[in-house]
Amino acid sequence: MTKKLLFILLASSGFTFAQNSCAEAVAITAGQHIVEAVNGSEIPLPICADNGEGATAGEWFTYTPTANYFITITTDLAINNSRDTRFHVYTGSCGAFACFNGDDDSGSNYTSVASFNVTAGTTYYIAFDNRWSSGGFTFELTENEPVVSLFTFASTPLPVPGGFRDCVVDMNGDFLDDIVVVNDESVSIMYQQANGTFTTATLPTPDANFLPTWSIAAGDIDRNGKTDLLYGSGNGVTFMIQNNEGTGFTESSGPDYVFSQRSNFSDLNNDGHLDAFVCHDVEPNVYYINDGEGNLDFFQGGMGDFPSGGNYGSIFVDYDNDGDSDLFIAKCRGGNSGAKIDELHRNDGNGIFTNVSEAAGMAEPSQSWSSAWADFDNDGWMDAMIGVSSFADGGHKLRKNNGNGTFTDITEGSGFETLTSTSIEYVAHDFDNDGWVDVLCNNNTIMRNNGDMTFTKHIINANSGPIGDLNNDGRLDILNGTNVYSNISNNNNYLVVHVQGVQSNRNGLGARVEIYGAWGKQIRDVRSGEGFRYMNSMNVHFGLGTATEIEKVIIRWPSGNVDQIENPAINAPLFVLEGSSPLSNNEIASNQVMLYPNPASDVIYLNTGTGAEASVKVYDLTGKVVLSGKTLNSSLNVASLATGQYMLLIEDTNARQSVKKLIKK
């Protein structure tokens, strides 16, 4: 008690010089501690919390627990008057740190909160920076009994260079999740290899007018097989378009003011080309319509029109099972403003969206920055978890989809009513591969789905960040700061589905993937943009628990095409090219294409039936292009292909397409 009091007196008297560098870090124990100002000479590095570089000063502490504890570090205290803070937690030693934890905005009103297990005798460095404010504040460290979780993540530091590390997505068309780091004039991509290792390339970009300070989204705008990026900032939007060779980007930044929050790619008018949607904080939402040539035209209004905005977390989800992607907007605004009423917009087709919030039972104030949507009870309908960033208008909500366009609030007894922490980031994924979709919150928390619409809180050693399979083992991992947290929770079985649209948009965004087995049915929607800030993998992950076989997989494409695959292998990727396994004889466009012989040994002959020259791409079952060429009712040499099954995408000069199967003997 005397030691704590002495520290407070010293800090409040301005004697904070000992905190100004790592070497002079002040040792603390549990309790409240005062930081007079963030003016130390050493900037905390590496960055372990959200929102990238920009700090110019830091304040340093050390904490060495005397026993194993579950601790919480927080600035979400009334005394701080909503001071905007950010902190990083390290292990190691000065100059040789590894990120252990950290937080920016998990507390209310931009305060910081993080909770995690610590080990007796290990020294943890706690560093606050002035990314947002240099003003003084009080923080609190509390100790509790360690928490045992069903989820285990192994931390591995990666040499991720600078910038914004908010994106995990396939960038080169091989369906392996890559790590994307955005800087002013470059994009560094850590390309994942089949063995789970990475090779890094830094691709030049024009000096970005706007950086992804608020959100990032990814998708193939121009259908060239290379992933493009959308940067959302507090002032505008930048599109970075990757060239055909994957060696660089061109920039497109309009003059329009957009206070960007969540951003998404989706085919809004179902013409087969990806459009973009951006939540606007202080005005009606904006969207960008793709003209089919990769050019994006700006529009505002018609998809969330409240004059003062309040739009934070958008997500596209087919809630009514009619085959097109609807839009839910998590809203946040203080006071009595209508800008805080959540909105559900039904997709009526051809780019028309209708606000059905009231009729659906979704028009409530939640003070939410994001929502997590999934079929939590595996009944074939998408349910919603609305997570809050403040309890000013009530707590977290769990809503069951009734299958008739309405939702029922089933929060009471679900476990979410007892979740006392807040967050801006909520996403739904099956992290333990048991066949039931969980919810990842910030504050090192996973709400585990018990399979009966109840959830149990589990503390993990990883905080929120972009999600993907970062070691190609079929389990979903988390990138946080400069660490990859590899999921080693269990050995449950899984299936990963890779989709590629032909008539639909190339990424297959908006497609509904269904798997059937002894468990019944599981569903997923292919999305770009979940939660609030991050861009997660567009690959579709299913957990199977201990099940050892899958009866069938059905993909319902935005175009209306349906593919069905019988008895796919488990614990492996499944690549599905639109039209490759049609449920009916509904061929795409040039349905008169003839392919012979099939099976083939050395040469195949193609006849398009149109008299036009056609380009041919041959895909293996992982989605990799293994052969390409052109034909005018002539032959293609396939002798170089290994024995097995392949899919051919054939496109004539009139842009008519067909998909054919090939068996190579």
Side-chain angles (χ1 to χ4, degrees):
M1 181 68 181
T2 302
K3 185 176 180 181
K4 176 182 170 183
L5 179 60
L6 177 62
F7 173 81
I8 293 174
L9 289 172
L10 289 172
S12 63
S13 300
F15 296 102
T16 58
F17 60 89
Q19 302 165 199
N20 288 351
S21 69
C22 173
E24 300 173 309
V26 170
I28 63 171
T29 58
Q32 290 192 353
H33 307 281
I34 297 174
V35 176
E36 188 177 64
V38 184
N39 56 9
S41 57
E42 184 172 349
I43 305 169
L45 286 173
I47 298 168
C48 306
D50 291 334
N51 296 319
E53 298 178 344
T56 59
E59 298 294 320
W60 292 80
F61 304 86
T62 63
Y63 166 69
T64 306
T66 57
N68 295 339
Y69 290 119
F70 176 71
I71 72 166
T72 296
I73 300 171
T74 180
T75 64
D76 194 357
L77 306 170
I79 194 173
N80 288 328
N81 195 26
S82 302
R83 177 73 68 189
D84 194 348
T85 57
R86 185 173 79 164
F87 68 84
H88 317 269
V89 182
Y90 306 106
T91 55
S93 58
C94 297
F97 281 136
C99 281
F100 186 79
N101 216 293
D103 187 69
D104 189 359
D105 293 327
S106 293
S108 58
N109 298 314
Y110 309 113
T111 55
S112 307
V113 182
S115 302
F116 46 91
N117 285 321
V118 293
T119 303
T122 300
T123 295
Y124 300 86
Y125 288 79
I126 305 166
F128 291 85
D129 67 29
N130 67 338
R131 177 72 172 94
W132 308 115
S133 173
S134 297
F137 57 88
T138 297
F139 72 94
E140 184 175 58
L141 189 155
T142 58
E143 296 172 337
N144 292 284
E145 291 296 315
V147 176
V148 179
S149 177
L150 293 177
F151 302 92
T152 303
F153 293 82
S155 174
T156 304
L158 282 180
V160 186
F164 296 89
R165 296 175 293 273
D166 297 337
C167 181
V168 167
V169 73
D170 170 27
M171 291 295 291
N172 58 354
D174 64 0
F175 295 102
L176 295 171
D177 291 323
D178 307 311
I179 296 172
V180 181
V181 182
V182 174
N183 293 288
D184 287 350
E185 297 181 342
S186 69
V187 173
S188 293
I189 304 173
M190 299 184 65
Y191 293 106
Q192 186 178 174
Q193 309 302 300
N195 63 359
T197 62
F198 294 87
T199 60
T200 302
T202 297
L203 309 184
T205 71
D207 190 2
N209 287 19
F210 308 105
L211 287 168
T213 51
W214 285 101
S215 69
I216 188 168
D220 188 355
I221 299 171
D222 51 3
R223 302 182 68 101
N224 68 347
K226 300 295 189 292
T227 301
D228 312 304
L229 301 171
L230 186 165
Y231 303 168
S233 82
N235 295 295
V237 168
T238 286
F239 293 91
M240 283 293 177
I241 314 300
Q242 192 175 181
N243 63 28
N244 295 343
E245 296 75 30
T247 57
F249 293 79
T250 57
E251 180 199 10
S252 175
S253 298
D256 309 287
Y257 168 69
V258 184
F259 192 159
S260 310
Q261 302 293 335
R262 176 73 265 174
S263 51
N264 316 82
F265 281 110
S266 182
D267 186 355
L268 299 177
N269 55 5
N270 201 25
D271 64 352
H273 305 290
L274 280 189
D275 314 301
F277 177 88
V278 183
C279 278
H280 203 315
D281 192 348
V282 296
E283 294 180 11
N285 293 318
V286 304
Y287 53 99
Y288 301 79
I289 298 298
N290 192 334
D291 66 358
E293 301 294 328
N295 304 307
L296 294 155
D297 297 322
F298 174 87
F299 294 88
Q300 185 169 21
M303 299 177 70
D305 293 340
F306 200 86
S308 61
N311 309 293
Y312 277 63
S314 50
I315 186 168
F316 285 85
V317 55
D318 185 6
Y319 83 92
D320 54 1
N321 287 3
D322 66 350
D324 52 34
S325 295
D326 312 294
L327 169 65
F328 180 78
I329 306 170
K331 309 250 304 181
C332 187
R333 190 71 91 237
N336 295 316
S337 170
K340 68 179 180 180
I341 305 299
D342 296 338
E343 296 181 8
L344 178 64
H345 295 257
R346 185 186 65 221
N347 188 340
D348 297 327
N350 300 317
I352 305 299
F353 288 76
T354 300
N355 190 336
V356 295
S357 310
E358 290 282 354
M362 299 294 280
E364 289 190 31
S366 293
Q367 294 287 314
S368 176
W369 288 38
S370 62
S371 60
W373 286 73
D375 182 9
F376 291 121
D377 55 358
N378 286 347
D379 68 348
W381 298 87
M382 290 289 182
D383 311 300
M385 182 267 165
I386 317 297
V388 302
S389 62
S390 166
F391 290 112
D393 287 299
H396 312 291
K397 299 178 179 66
L398 181 64
R399 293 191 175 120
K400 177 176 171 57
N401 191 331
N402 299 318
N404 61 0
T406 68
F407 293 78
T408 299
D409 191 331
I410 59 167
T411 308
E412 192 66 28
S414 70
F416 284 106
E417 81 280 14
T418 64
L419 182 61
T420 57
S421 59
T422 60
S423 174
I424 63 174
E425 199 76 40
Y426 301 89
V427 290
H429 290 280
D430 185 357
F431 286 97
D432 56 358
N433 278 352
D434 67 347
W436 302 96
V437 179
D438 316 299
V439 178
L440 174 66
C441 315
N442 218 332
N443 299 311
N444 303 84
T445 298
I446 288 178
M447 295 296 287
R448 182 178 184 265
N449 190 339
N450 300 317
D452 58 0
M453 289 301 266
T454 69
F455 295 76
T456 302
K457 179 179 178 179
H458 288 264
I459 300 300
I460 61 174
N461 63 318
N463 221 330
S464 291
I467 298 164
D469 185 354
L470 291 173
N471 54 8
N472 199 25
D473 68 351
R475 293 183 288 255
L476 288 170
D477 313 305
I478 303 169
L479 174 67
N480 185 262
T482 57
N483 281 13
V484 167
Y485 289 86
S486 300
N487 188 346
I488 55 173
S489 299
N490 56 51
N491 292 313
N492 282 340
N493 296 320
Y494 65 89
L495 176 72
V496 182
V497 182
H498 308 316
V499 300
Q500 183 173 314
V502 176
Q503 185 176 342
S504 305
N505 66 87
R506 196 179 192 281
N507 297 119
L509 296 178
R512 168 66 57 84
V513 184
E514 307 169 354
I515 69 168
Y516 296 81
W519 58 84
K521 177 181 179 180
Q522 294 187 55
I523 64 173
R524 303 284 190 272
D525 288 345
V526 187
R527 301 170 182 153
S528 173
E530 301 174 291
F532 174 72
R533 183 186 309 278
Y534 305 113
M535 178 64 210
N536 302 325
S537 172
M538 289 185 285
N539 296 327
V540 181
H541 286 251
F542 292 92
L544 306 179
T546 58
T548 57
E549 62 182 21
I550 300 169
E551 295 173 6
K552 61 184 177 183
V553 176
I554 294 178
I555 295 92
R556 304 184 189 277
W557 301 89
S559 64
N561 292 322
V562 180
D563 283 299
Q564 178 170 305
I565 299 89
E566 304 285 342
N567 305 119
I570 67 169
N571 297 336
L574 172 66
F575 172 67
V576 184
L577 187 67
E578 183 178 9
S580 61
S581 304
L583 192 60
S584 65
N585 292 320
N586 181 28
E587 293 273 356
I588 304 172
S590 54
N591 58 5
Q592 56 271 66
V593 171
M594 296 182 62
L595 166 67
Y596 57 95
N598 191 11
S601 297
D602 299 315
V603 176
I604 58 173
Y605 295 89
L606 289 162
N607 190 324
T608 64
T610 66
E613 185 180 72
S615 63
V616 183
K617 290 183 179 179
V618 182
Y619 295 84
D620 66 17
L621 295 185
T622 70
K624 181 181 179 181
V625 177
V626 293
L627 187 65
S628 61
K630 292 187 176 182
T631 179
L632 181 59
N633 300 327
S634 63
S635 62
L636 183 70
N637 193 319
V638 295
S640 62
L641 299 179
T643 300
Q645 295 187 44
Y646 297 87
M647 284 171 283
L648 278 63
L649 174 61
I650 303 147
E651 182 172 4
D652 69 14
T653 53
N654 297 315
R656 290 175 292 189
Q657 296 173 322
S658 182
V659 177
K660 295 292 183 182
K661 284 185 179 179
L662 170 66
I663 299 174
K664 174 63 167 60
K665 295 193 293 186

